[in-house]
Amino acid sequence: MMKTRWNKTVALSITLTLTLSIVLSGCRRQQPQHTFTHKVLLPITPIKDQGKTELCWAYAMLATIETEHMLRGDSVNLSAVYVGRMLKNYQISILNSQLTQRAMGQTLLNIIQRYGIVGYDVLPDDATSDLPTPKWVYMLGARYTPLEFAHSVCAPDEYLSLTCFPDSQYYKAIDVPVPDNWEHNQLMNLPMDTLRRHVDHALRHRHPVCWESRGHAMEVVGMAYDENHKAYYVMKNSWGTRQPNGGLVYMSVINMWRDMIAIYMTKEAYEI
């Protein structure tokens, strides 16, 4: 009886050890550790946290606008929560109903051109529903309406909306056929190599871009490579700072272009 119990104990110990080794090995495969060297890394405002919302498109587009201003010697930090509050009114005005929190970068641009924008300090990520929506924006001793403020940080038609759908005609604006484009915004359809060249050129000349896939959106702020000389894009995420790399995401070049649905950049960045 003693020998049988001992054999069972040893067998259980071996099984647990093997299981633990497999789990740890799996974790290493899922979350590989790399040493990154930056070729380009643009400045960013503090990492934000979208929480349980589906407003990544708003966070990503606002982050792109914020970095553009930083590189111009200006400083703005904008509230995605305000955009979320305006979204319901915007959807009702277009669709006569509230549809979803999911959308695209162009939706952010459309909303702030209609309803304006306010600063993050007055309506931060953790703002509760009982915190009033600001009616005024105060900056440098002046008072603005949210719409006046929005026009000062993002001029109408300042940004270009770009995509690549090989089944549609190139160099023509198309209605991108994805559910998040419930507005039926028109994006300029470009060949993939042309679009990639414009993005890389913009980053090298210190302009951020906004990237969207079918599931998520982030601001692209840099280019890097790892110890194996594999190339990555550096992205500012909106899942808070308790993430690897403090909230930055290093996405392989292959994954970025494989998953890309839309790209947004200023006309200045595109024309460099």
Side-chain angles (χ1 to χ4, degrees), residues 41 47 67 74 84 95 113 123-124 142 150 153 163-164 179 185-186 219 240-241 245 250 268:
L41 186 62
I47 300 286
T67 294
D74 193 7
L95 305 170
Q113 292 303 322
L123 211 57
V153 300
T163 190
C164 176
N185 288 306
Q186 301 283 303
E219 177 197 17
T241 57
N245 303 305
Y250 290 81
E268 180 183 356

Side-chain angles (χ1 to χ4, degrees), residues 10-50:
V10 171
L12 178 61
S13 176
I14 293 172
T15 300
L16 289 175
T17 302
L18 289 173
T19 302
L20 182 60
S21 298
I22 292 170
V23 169
L24 291 177
S25 177
C27 289
R28 283 194 292 269
R29 286 197 298 270
Q30 293 170 8
Q31 298 180 339
Q33 298 298 312
H34 292 292
T35 300
F36 295 106
T37 301
H38 295 118
K39 298 168 62 178
V40 176
L41 186 62
L42 306 180
I44 60 173
T45 51
I47 300 286
K48 299 183 175 70
D49 191 345
Q50 70 185 75

Side-chain angles (χ1 to χ4, degrees), residues 117-138:
I117 192 65
V118 302
Y120 179 84
D121 57 336
V122 296
L123 211 57
D125 291 341
D126 59 358
T128 54
S129 58
D130 59 342
L131 184 63
T133 301
K135 295 182 178 179
W136 302 99
V137 177
Y138 296 90

Side-chain angles (χ1 to χ4, degrees), residues 218-239:
M218 293 184 281
E219 177 197 17
V220 187
V221 295
M223 305 168 74
Y225 58 92
D226 66 14
E227 67 280 4
N228 300 314
H229 298 282
K230 182 179 178 180
Y232 296 79
Y233 288 96
V234 188
M235 299 184 172
K236 179 187 179 184
N237 204 1
S238 53
W239 293 349

Side-chain angles (χ1 to χ4, degrees), residues 14-130:
I14 293 172
T15 300
L16 289 175
T17 302
L18 289 173
T19 302
L20 182 60
S21 298
I22 292 170
V23 169
L24 291 177
S25 177
C27 289
R28 283 194 292 269
R29 286 197 298 270
Q30 293 170 8
Q31 298 180 339
Q33 298 298 312
H34 292 292
T35 300
F36 295 106
T37 301
H38 295 118
K39 298 168 62 178
V40 176
L41 186 62
L42 306 180
I44 60 173
T45 51
I47 300 286
K48 299 183 175 70
D49 191 345
Q50 70 185 75
K52 296 181 180 179
T53 73
E54 295 184 283
L55 298 173
C56 60
W57 50 274
Y59 281 89
M61 197 69 236
L62 289 177
T64 305
I65 295 171
E66 291 165 358
T67 294
E68 273 288 346
H69 276 265
M70 293 179 74
L71 293 167
R72 298 171 189 172
D74 193 7
S75 179
V76 293
N77 198 6
L78 306 171
S79 172
V81 173
Y82 177 86
V83 175
R85 292 186 179 184
M86 297 300 110
L87 177 63
K88 179 177 180 179
N89 293 336
Y90 186 62
Q91 289 179 332
I92 290 174
S93 70
I94 293 177
L95 305 170
N96 200 30
S97 67
Q98 183 180 5
L99 179 65
T100 176
Q101 278 195 330
R102 293 178 63 92
M104 299 183 72
Q106 184 63 47
T107 306
L108 180 280
L109 299 172
N110 295 341
I111 287 177
I112 69 174
Q113 292 303 322
R114 179 176 292 195
Y115 299 104
I117 192 65
V118 302
Y120 179 84
D121 57 336
V122 296
L123 211 57
D125 291 341
D126 59 358
T128 54
S129 58
D130 59 342

Side-chain angles (χ1 to χ4, degrees), residues 179-193:
D180 290 350
N181 190 24
W182 45 262
E183 289 184 273
H184 301 287
N185 288 306
Q186 301 283 303
L187 286 75
M188 180 59 65
N189 191 31
L190 298 177
M192 182 62 76
D193 58 346

